[in-house]
Amino acid sequence: MSFAIRTPTAMSGPPDDGDGADTNVVIESKPRTKRPPLYKVLLLNDDYTPMEFVVHVLERFFGMSHAQAFEIMLTVHKKGVAVVGVFSHEIAETKVAQVMDFARRHQHPLQCTMEKE
Ligand code: TYC
């Protein structure tokens, strides 16, 4: 896709008189609309947080079904880490803060972080 941008002079003035001055200049440019970066939210394993608590976190803050939450919890338990969602920077930051606060209030060492995709 391209835009043709004509200067006010070119739009209202006379045709190019051939003297080399830049009248009737048409600038074609791609619209550069960069998508905002996305962030992965990661859940980390530890030896103390109860499995059921992690399942509850995934249901409560990431909208997962019980079965889905249990599966992801087991992945974290076995592999050490898993991506639990991908969000805009602001939403990812909020999710991390909610999980960290919830874990702290329940005195579990569960860790949640984010990284640019
Ligand atoms: N490893 C924990 C246990 O055996 C369970 C656990 C799973 C902890 C996932 C954190 O992100 C986690 N109780």
Side-chain angles (χ1 to χ4, degrees), residues 43-51 54 73 76-77 110-111:
L43 204 59
L44 308 185
N45 188 36
D46 66 73
D47 292 339
Y48 306 102
T49 304
M51 289 184 173
V54 177
M73 179 282 295
V76 180
H77 177 69
L110 182 64
Q111 294 294 304

Side-chain angles (χ1 to χ4, degrees), residues 55 58 65-76:
V55 171
L58 293 172
S65 68
H66 191 78
Q68 202 182 0
F70 196 88
E71 195 178 305
I72 300 287
M73 179 282 295
L74 270 190
T75 300
V76 180

